[in-house]
Amino acid sequence: MIPFRYLPRAQGPDGLATSTSDLQAKTEKELQDAWKSAPRPLVLHRMRHLQWLKMSLFQGLPAKYKAQDASQPWMLFWIVQSFQIMGVQLDPVTKQRAIDTVMTCQDKVRGGFGGGPMQYPGILPTYAAISVLVCVGRPGPGGGWDEIDRHKMYDFFMSLKQPDGSFIVSKDAEVDVRAIYALLVTATLLDIVTPELIAGTASFIASTQTYEGGFASTSMPYYITEDTLLDEPRPAIGEAHGGYAGCSIGSWVMLKPLMSEEESQKLDIPKFLRWLVWMQGEEEDFGGFRGRSNKLVDNCYSWWCGESLALVEALLDTQPETGHEDELIEDDGIDDEWIDTDYWLYNNKSLQEYILGVGQDKPGGLRDKPGKLADIYHTFYSLAGLSTAQHRVYQSKTTQEQLLGHWEDTDGFIPSSGTKETSEDRQARRKALWAHLRSWKEDESSHRYVGSPNNRVVS
């Protein structure tokens, strides 16, 4: 566990107040007031949140969500995933309604999913739609999965690929590293990853790492000719951001078994770690994460920064596998008996206290911070961050070796446009990717949670 940084707090280099320092002081006061009024011991108001989510799903969302009309698969994704993190499964009728709803967003002509029925497809709503099907879909008629045309999906993805290995989020739109994460997850679930699809993508991700160590949304490519990309300069555009960071490192981990040796050395992981741990707030921020330097803490970064730190731990491979990770050690949740470990690269106890102590809204749902109302976006990412802070997930080399030994060759996906990949190379690539992604496990011996055992959520 990383201790707090004890630094002198100043209003600015000249000691004068600014609008930024005033807002920080106001936020600290609101956090302190919310913390004092939180019940002890800290409690996850599970039933209150479930009832709030149930109303959002069945009775409809407030009028303010009209602005999210082009994000309908996302709204369903946030709600369904929140139920799952709290250990609640939907009934078959509700699952079918969710399948039917999300499938109306599929573009059967172009491939991919739009933000709503008859809307133009994009990578981001496609990821949300496929993620919903992971939770509620099934094989067979009406189950969603068999209604997806993988060839059209692949062609849609390739139509958005850029020469520098990046992707635009939809036709005539902008390049964004979040699109890479969304695409890789979707392509992996549908088994349509090809060398052509991911060519240059790892190098592009590395090019978005900023001088701070975090990741921006994109970088500036330079070309000798229209088709010849220079390795450098490729400066990152914009400041490092928690959301971009989470998507960048997640994409990097997915691509790792498919990278060349040269590509795998392009990311500065220690520099990224330094930036991440500095994103966690100090005592006055009650351990919440901020998404950018010198910004306010925000509950959603409990996930974006928390999951990044979990992946960084795996990339650094600082904890050897002991063989005792499957031995369940029950944590009674008593705060004054908190057992510290070397696994956590940040103050996971303090993050749980932020989420439980100041991040819950009384009517139900979770919020950005005190003074804000709960919404389904912050509810999901706060719960996901809570799960990350409670459970250590690691990549098991033992499991990976076992999976490699049990692999059975199948035909696999071949694009209609063809591929230069041989059948043997295709099987080797699919085998390596499958074993790499399926070998992540929870370390049952190291989970820790604040408050009573009822605060524990699903890993």
Side-chain angles (χ1 to χ4, degrees):
M1 185 173 74
I2 304 297
F4 282 116
R5 307 177 303 277
Y6 290 96
L7 300 175
R9 301 185 64 80
Q11 293 174 318
D14 51 9
L16 297 176
T18 66
S19 57
T20 299
S21 65
D22 288 342
L23 187 56
Q24 174 66 29
K26 177 177 179 291
T27 300
E28 289 176 7
K29 177 64 166 58
E30 291 173 340
L31 289 169
Q32 188 177 48
D33 291 343
W35 176 257
K36 289 179 179 178
S37 63
R40 299 294 190 277
L42 294 176
V43 174
L44 175 65
H45 299 292
R46 191 183 303 265
M47 294 309 299
R48 191 181 298 174
H49 301 323
L50 290 173
Q51 184 64 27
W52 183 84
L53 287 165
K54 181 180 176 182
M55 291 177 58
S56 299
L57 183 62
F58 292 105
Q59 295 184 19
L61 295 164
K64 67 178 182 180
Y65 284 94
K66 286 182 179 179
Q68 302 296 320
D69 181 65
S71 300
Q72 294 177 41
W74 279 107
M75 291 188 283
L76 193 55
F77 164 71
W78 294 325
I79 294 173
V80 171
Q81 289 275 24
S82 294
F83 277 123
Q84 288 216 328
I85 292 175
M86 289 191 285
V88 174
Q89 292 292 326
L90 300 179
D91 64 272
V93 173
T94 302
K95 284 185 176 182
Q96 188 60 55
R97 290 180 63 187
I99 294 169
D100 295 342
T101 298
V102 80
M103 293 307 296
T104 63
C105 300
Q106 183 178 202
D107 191 321
K108 296 183 178 180
V109 176
R110 302 178 184 88
F113 288 75
M118 305 300 291
Q119 294 185 20
Y120 209 90
I123 293 178
L124 302 180
T126 297
Y127 162 82
I130 295 299
S131 296
V132 171
L133 291 181
V134 170
C135 299
V136 302
R138 65 181 191 279
W145 287 113
D146 293 341
E147 300 166 45
I148 298 172
D149 188 326
R150 294 194 298 158
H151 287 279
K152 286 186 176 179
M153 181 74 77
Y154 179 84
D155 292 341
F156 168 64
F157 284 162
M158 288 299 294
S159 73
L160 303 177
K161 186 173 176 63
Q162 304 302 296
D164 63 350
S166 66
F167 291 84
I168 54 177
V169 296
S170 60
K171 183 181 178 182
D172 300 326
E174 72 280 6
V175 168
D176 192 317
V177 74
R178 291 173 294 189
I180 292 177
Y181 175 77
L183 179 143
L184 289 175
V185 171
T186 303
T188 300
L189 289 169
L190 297 178
D191 192 19
I192 58 174
V193 175
T194 67
E196 291 82 2
L197 184 67
I198 61 173
T201 300
S203 294
F204 170 78
I205 294 170
S207 74
T208 66
Q209 189 169 21
T210 74
Y211 72 94
E212 291 183 279
F215 292 85
S217 63
T218 186
S219 63
M220 174 63 74
Y222 285 84
Y223 297 90
I224 299 175
T225 67
E226 183 178 344
D227 300 319
T228 306
L229 175 70
L230 287 172
D231 287 337
E232 56 181 34
R234 295 177 71 178
I237 300 177
E239 61 185 320
H241 182 282
Y244 302 141
C247 291
S248 295
I249 199 64
S251 300
W252 189 264
V253 169
M254 283 189 282
L255 288 171
K256 200 168 187 299
L258 308 180
M259 291 181 195
S260 67
E261 180 63 26
E262 180 184 0
E263 283 180 319
S264 67
Q265 302 301 316
K266 289 185 175 182
L267 212 61
D268 191 334
I269 298 298
K271 191 175 182 180
F272 180 43
L273 173 60
R274 177 184 180 277
W275 178 82
L276 278 172
V277 297
W278 277 88
M279 288 302 101
Q280 186 166 26
E282 300 168 28
E283 280 191 307
E284 292 84 351
D285 299 308
F286 289 88
F289 276 97
R290 56 179 54 86
R292 291 175 287 167
S293 298
N294 301 317
K295 296 295 183 179
L296 301 174
V297 291
D298 184 330
N299 217 354
C300 72
Y301 296 111
S302 303
W303 165 252
W304 293 118
C305 293
E307 60 97 359
S308 296
L309 283 155
L311 294 176
V312 165
E313 184 216 315
L315 289 172
L316 293 175
D317 197 20
T318 58
Q319 300 296 333
E321 195 169 356
T322 65
H324 300 292
E325 287 82 4
D326 291 333
E327 297 177 5
L328 178 61
I329 298 177
E330 279 297 343
D331 179 7
D332 59 15
I334 301 174
D335 294 349
D336 58 5
E337 294 184 4
W338 183 271
I339 303 173
D340 202 0
T341 72
D342 295 329
Y343 296 128
W344 304 97
L345 298 177
Y346 65 103
N347 193 329
N348 65 314
K349 178 176 185 286
S350 186
L351 179 60
Q352 292 184 51
E353 290 173 340
Y354 180 92
I355 297 169
L356 298 173
V358 302
Q360 301 185 86
D361 204 6
K362 287 185 178 180
L366 287 95
R367 59 194 178 187
D368 167 348
K369 61 177 69 67
K372 304 283 188 178
L373 296 176
D375 60 72
I376 54 176
Y377 170 90
H378 283 92
T379 295
F380 167 62
Y381 288 113
S382 300
L383 290 171
L386 180 62
S387 175
T388 301
Q390 291 179 347
H391 308 276
R392 175 181 178 254
V393 177
Y394 71 104
Q395 188 169 30
S396 169
K397 293 181 173 61
T398 302
T399 301
Q400 190 170 10
E401 292 173 1
Q402 292 172 346
L403 289 169
L404 290 171
H406 286 85
W407 171 263
E408 295 182 4
D409 289 350
T410 56
D411 291 337
F413 174 82
I414 301 176
S416 302
S417 55
T419 177
K420 297 179 181 179
E421 190 177 38
T422 66
S423 176
E424 292 77 12
D425 289 342
R426 181 167 62 254
Q427 295 298 341
R429 172 185 51 77
R430 293 175 66 229
K431 177 180 179 180
L433 185 60
W434 176 75
H436 172 71
L437 297 177
R438 289 293 303 272
S439 59
W440 291 81
K441 299 175 62 178
E442 178 182 355
D443 182 355
E444 293 282 4
S445 67
S446 68
H447 64 260
R448 301 288 183 269
Y449 47 89
V450 168
S452 75
N454 292 329
N455 291 345
R456 185 176 182 179
V457 295
V458 177
S459 63

